Amino acid sequence: MGRSGLICAFLLAVCCCSRRAAGVPGEAEQPEPELVEVEVGHTALLKCGLSHAQGNLSHVDWFSVHKEKRMLIFRVRQGQGQSEPGEYHNRLSLQDKGTTLVLTGVTPHDDRIFTCQGKRRAQEHRIRLRVYKAPEEPSIQVNTLGISVNSEEPVEVATCVGRNGYPVPQVTWYKNGQSLKEEKNRVHIQSSQTEESNGLFTLRSVLQAQVSKEDKDAQFYCELSYRLPSGNHMKESKEVTVPVFYPAERVWLEVEPEGMLKEGDRVEIRCLADGNPQPPFSIIKQNLHTREMEEERTDDNGVLVLDPAQKEHSGRYECQGLDLETTTSLQSDQQELVVNYVSDVRVSPAAPESQEGSSLTLNCEAESNQDLQFQWLREKTGKLLAKGQALQLHNLKREEGGGYRCLASVPSVPGLNRSQLVNVAIFGPPWMALREKKMWVKENSVLNLSCEASGHPRPSIVWSIQGTANEQDQEPQSVLSVLNVLVTPELLETGAECVASNSLGRNTTIIFLELDSNRTSNLSTSTVSPPARANGTSTEKKLTEPESKGVVIVAVTVCVLVLALLGAVLYFFYKKGKLPCGRSGKQEMERNTSI
Ligand SMILES: *[C@@H]1O[C@H](CO)[C@@H](O)[C@H](O)[C@H]1NC(C)=O
Ligand SMILES: *[C@@H]1O[C@H](CO)[C@@H](O)[C@H](O)[C@H]1NC(C)=O
Ligand SMILES: *[C@@H]1O[C@H](CO)[C@@H](O)[C@H](O)[C@H]1NC(C)=O
Ligand SMILES: *[C@@H]1O[C@H](CO)[C@@H](O)[C@H](O)[C@H]1NC(C)=O
Ligand SMILES: *[C@@H]1O[C@H](CO)[C@@H](O)[C@H](O)[C@H]1NC(C)=O
Ligand SMILES: *[C@@H]1O[C@H](CO)[C@@H](O)[C@H](O)[C@H]1NC(C)=O
Ligand SMILES: *[C@@H]1O[C@H](CO)[C@@H](O)[C@H](O)[C@H]1NC(C)=O
């Protein structure tokens, strides 16, 4: 144990003595009151601890002691309880054969001493009733105005409120999980409480602190600790961060998108600083020729938007930031911006033309700040014909006329390319897309007939029939003519011919028109047909006309032959005189021939 142990024991003894001396005067030995703990709203059981030797429990008076005032609240006479009028009326009853006083609906006001007393005053048992209530979840409110690191005094960081607790809970503040303690000129914690009419307390604690730049992401929260009959507990608030203002030390420039830029891209140049708030910036570009720095126009957010970026935007850029608090100007490093480009693509000759069977060379040119790659593509199919600036075409066939595209691209900058289309014209007479074609038509309908011809020089088209013609250019050496016609019986008979011609010759397409039998069978119900045609029989006749023509011819021939034979027979009988040539006979003969 040693000397320190002895001193301890001595101190303890002194302590105990002084405590006893401070007890109620007159009472020789008043023991510590018995402790009973209960939560607000619950029921407290107050057991009268008098032994039978000390008194008869069928005769007991209960008192509440508050601020040195004793008040009779309950009597027990012959084992029967009786409530006294006052604040405890209706809340008290007896239990366990009258040994226990039951107090319901405990409130913070019941936090006091109760005594039970036998017939004589000396027979007294004291009970300390302690009342508890957990505070609500603490709410925290951060100082949204923020704190400057240059502030000379601690500034409010946040306020923590814990409502309706009993007794007043303890508050602890934390920063990044570490508890904060009072520190002169650095950390102040001011807590106050208000008592509600129901006796519960609302605690309000304000944390004030001086902050540094490192505190910009610091998480602050408060914790309430309190006691319940079950033991010690605590509740934590949410975490908050307070805006921290600090001057910038460095300014820099950011370009988006990152990586290689090309003409046509949308490019944003913005300035950034390591201060909070961001200082006002200006973006400055060095003039390529004069070498002077010139301020660029930025948008409202201080961002320079190049949309679309052009090769003229290439150059050296820098940012300037002005710290408003210290009025010092900060400057970023210069940054080189390169907008990669490909110039217009030029093909020579610009309008190539050639004879069938001869050769042709096409040349392609373009400029770029990067290495270029050239490709020749057939326009119609997209097929790659050659790599390199020159395209050689030998023994040209007329099918090889048409579009060729030179594509100049920069392999090192994806998507950077430009191209030029050139049309190769091959001399020749018109060439028809179709020599002849058949169309299924409906009589009296309006119809478009089309005819396409190609050749060099470009052919012109005329039609063999009347109608409104409409010409559309296809490729430079090709023309499409559309003729709008009404389908008449004459047109059905003749068909249509389209004649294309140029200085080297002419060519034709023949269009045959046939009645669409599917549609014709529906003509009887069609409103577009004229009334005469709506007659079912006449339509049928029309429909069968081509087939019946032969039958009619045969019938007529047969008739003529029969008549001739009949004539010969009649003549024979007439010559023989066997034929009666009276009126009635003539009539008979007429009747026969009309059969
Ligand atoms: C207590 O008092 C009652 C009457 O007042 C009596 O009937 C009872 O016997 C007494 N009990 C004791 C243990 O003295
Ligand atoms: C050419 O550029 C366009 C966009 O500008 C891109 O979509 C295309 O893939 C590029 N073609 C080549 C062959 O690089
Ligand atoms: C007319 O065009 C056809 C192709 O539809 C072609 O076969 C024919 O040779 C051409 N005639 C002349 C005289 O060019
Ligand atoms: C015929 O062509 C003209 C113009 O080319 C178009 O407006 C019309 O709709 C076409 N008619 C038919 C029946 O295709
Ligand atoms: C008639 O219609 C049928 C189906 O509806 C079709 O297969 C056929 O080709 C058509 N005939 C003509 C001559 O259009
Ligand atoms: C006849 O016309 C009607 C409506 O007008 C249509 O539903 C039907 O398919 C047509 N029949 C034929 C064979 O075209
Ligand atoms: C159709 O022809 C018949 C006889 O050929 C005639 O009786 C009828 O009136 C005609 N109908 C119309 C709508 O012309």
Side-chain angles (χ1 to χ4, degrees):
M1 213 184 178
R3 207 165 34 180
S4 60
L6 273 174
I7 293 171
C8 242
F10 173 74
L11 283 176
L12 208 66
V14 170
C15 256
C16 290
C17 288
S18 58
R19 193 157 174 191
R20 257 182 215 172
V24 182
E27 305 286 338
E29 276 201 19
Q30 190 156 30
E32 277 291 301
E34 185 196 341
L35 184 65
V36 172
E37 295 181 307
V38 68
E39 263 186 78
V40 166
H42 290 199
T43 296
L45 300 179
L46 309 174
K47 196 174 165 71
C48 187
L50 291 175
S51 63
H52 283 273
Q54 280 177 301
N56 190 333
L57 286 179
S58 51
H59 183 111
V60 171
D61 287 338
W62 283 92
F63 295 91
S64 92
V65 183
H66 187 52
K67 293 179 181 161
E68 306 293 317
K69 251 182 77 184
R70 278 164 67 93
M71 216 168 59
L72 180 64
I73 55 169
F74 199 81
R75 294 168 198 267
V76 187
R77 294 289 180 273
Q78 270 107 41
Q80 297 297 310
Q82 190 190 340
S83 216
E84 289 292 308
E87 61 177 315
Y88 287 99
H89 199 66
N90 294 334
R91 290 173 58 207
L92 295 170
S93 58
L94 279 179
Q95 195 177 298
D96 291 344
K97 295 175 187 157
T99 60
T100 300
L101 186 64
V102 179
L103 173 60
T104 57
V106 168
T107 76
H109 300 301
D110 302 329
D111 191 335
R112 56 180 62 175
I113 287 176
F114 293 85
T115 65
C116 67
Q117 189 186 307
K119 262 188 180 144
R120 281 174 297 133
R121 179 89 206 268
Q123 302 170 333
E124 190 185 62
H125 178 74
R126 303 201 308 150
I127 299 167
R128 178 70 174 92
L129 179 64
R130 287 206 184 275
V131 176
Y132 302 104
K133 166 83 167 58
E136 291 166 17
E137 203 82 23
S139 67
I140 189 167
Q141 216 160 22
V142 74
N143 172 9
T144 50
L145 296 178
I147 307 173
S148 166
V149 296
N150 295 328
S151 154
E152 310 259 314
E153 292 172 351
V155 177
E156 179 186 330
V157 174
T159 301
C160 178
V161 175
R163 291 182 194 283
N164 297 325
Y166 192 90
V168 183
Q170 296 292 310
V171 68
T172 313
W173 282 93
Y174 289 86
K175 179 174 97 177
N176 294 330
Q178 300 246 296
S179 65
L180 293 170
K181 286 179 198 66
E182 276 288 326
E183 233 181 285
K184 200 167 189 296
N185 289 331
R186 298 282 308 160
V187 179
H188 285 342
I189 297 169
Q190 288 181 333
S191 300
S192 61
Q193 68 247 17
T194 48
E195 192 182 341
E196 314 290 334
S197 59
N198 57 11
L200 298 176
F201 290 106
T202 288
L203 175 94
R204 191 183 168 81
S205 178
V206 180
L207 171 68
Q208 294 176 316
Q210 275 200 337
V211 295
S212 62
K213 189 174 156 184
E214 288 69 44
D215 293 325
K216 67 189 169 72
D217 301 316
Q219 302 275 347
F220 292 93
Y221 70 92
C222 64
E223 176 194 281
L224 299 180
S225 28
Y226 54 93
R227 193 181 153 73
L228 291 183
S230 54
N232 292 323
H233 298 263
M234 56 119 168
K235 283 181 174 175
E236 287 174 357
S237 74
K238 286 184 304 186
E239 290 184 320
V240 292
T241 50
V242 67
V244 174
F245 303 122
Y246 47 93
E249 291 163 10
R250 203 168 71 80
V251 169
W252 67 96
L253 193 138
E254 214 174 66
V255 178
E256 208 163 327
E258 284 177 18
M260 298 284 244
L261 303 176
K262 58 180 185 296
E263 275 198 326
D265 284 351
R266 178 191 161 91
V267 176
E268 290 187 7
I269 302 174
R270 62 162 53 81
C271 296
L272 295 166
D274 57 357
N276 185 27
Q278 295 270 299
F281 294 111
S282 43
I283 299 179
I284 291 164
K285 185 190 172 197
Q286 190 172 47
N287 187 304
L288 270 180
H289 309 292
T290 64
R291 301 257 150 217
E292 268 173 32
M293 303 303 286
E294 290 166 2
E295 185 167 346
E296 297 284 314
R297 285 168 60 93
T298 59
D299 67 9
D300 294 342
N301 303 319
V303 178
L304 175 60
V305 180
L306 311 176
D307 190 18
Q310 287 163 347
K311 63 170 187 279
E312 292 75 24
H313 291 131
S314 296
R316 303 183 74 81
Y317 287 82
E318 72 177 42
C319 280
Q320 277 181 8
L322 181 72
D323 192 293
L324 291 179
E325 210 163 323
T326 59
T327 66
T328 50
S329 176
L330 290 163
Q331 201 159 313
S332 75
D333 292 339
Q334 282 198 350
Q335 188 167 330
E336 178 98 38
L337 186 87
V338 177
V339 179
N340 295 293
Y341 67 93
V342 176
S343 71
D344 282 338
V345 176
R346 299 175 304 280
V347 172
S348 59
E353 50 182 17
S354 184
Q355 301 291 337
E356 217 173 325
S358 65
S359 297
L360 187 64
T361 302
L362 300 178
N363 255 300
C364 188
E365 274 182 275
E367 287 83 43
S368 169
N369 61 320
Q370 300 277 359
D371 287 343
L372 273 174
Q373 190 183 59
F374 291 90
Q375 289 178 332
W376 279 99
L377 308 165
R378 187 72 161 122
E379 180 68 358
K380 226 185 280 175
T381 60
K383 194 180 155 217
L384 176 65
L385 300 174
K387 289 189 173 186
Q389 284 180 269
L391 174 68
Q392 310 268 0
L393 298 170
H394 300 294
N395 189 17
L396 276 167
K397 297 183 187 61
R398 62 176 307 144
E399 297 80 32
E400 290 174 277
Y404 290 79
R405 186 175 288 276
C406 172
L407 178 73
S409 55
V410 175
S412 55
V413 183
L416 177 55
N417 62 58
R418 289 182 87 168
S419 69
Q420 177 64 48
L421 176 67
V422 71
N423 190 72
V424 170
I426 295 172
F427 289 106
W431 187 275
M432 311 310 286
L434 289 171
R435 278 173 161 284
E436 56 177 56
K437 74 174 164 191
K438 210 173 218 180
M439 288 183 75
W440 297 100
V441 299
K442 194 158 82 173
E443 225 188 302
N444 280 307
S445 62
V446 174
L447 188 67
N448 281 342
L449 303 176
S450 68
C451 173
E452 190 179 350
S454 58
H456 184 65
R458 200 171 87 100
S460 55
I461 288 179
V462 292
W463 290 87
S464 64
I465 51 166
Q466 293 289 315
T468 327
N470 214 319
E471 270 193 18
Q472 294 159 15
D473 286 350
Q474 304 291 95
E475 287 184 322
Q477 274 72 52
S478 163
V479 62
L480 172 74
S481 176
V482 177
L483 186 73
N484 194 251
V485 292
L486 176 70
V487 180
T488 60
E490 298 74 49
L491 184 61
L492 279 170
E493 233 159 78
T494 60
E497 191 182 33
C498 144
V499 181
S501 54
N502 66 8
S503 55
L504 300 177
R506 67 196 290 280
N507 205 340
T508 60
T509 294
I510 297 167
I511 300 173
F512 299 101
L513 300 177
E514 301 272 348
L515 272 182
D516 183 339
S517 60
N518 282 350
R519 292 181 194 174
T520 322
S521 66
N522 245 356
L523 274 181
S524 52
T525 55
S526 169
T527 48
V528 284
S529 305
R533 301 271 173 219
N535 195 313
T537 52
S538 69
T539 309
E540 248 164 39
K541 191 178 146 206
K542 179 83 196 161
L543 180 68
T544 54
E545 199 173 40
E547 296 95 307
S548 61
K549 242 178 200 163
V551 178
V552 170
I553 291 167
V554 170
V556 168
T557 313
V558 168
C559 269
V560 169
L561 283 175
V562 166
L563 279 174
L565 193 68
L566 198 63
V569 169
L570 285 175
Y571 184 74
F572 171 77
F573 281 118
Y574 176 72
K575 277 282 177 189
K576 288 268 174 173
K578 289 215 170 150
L579 199 73
C581 247
R583 206 180 161 88
S584 57
K586 249 183 189 167
Q587 277 175 343
E588 236 173 60
M589 191 189 70
E590 271 176 24
R591 211 179 292 134
N592 283 345
T593 52
S594 69
I595 288 168

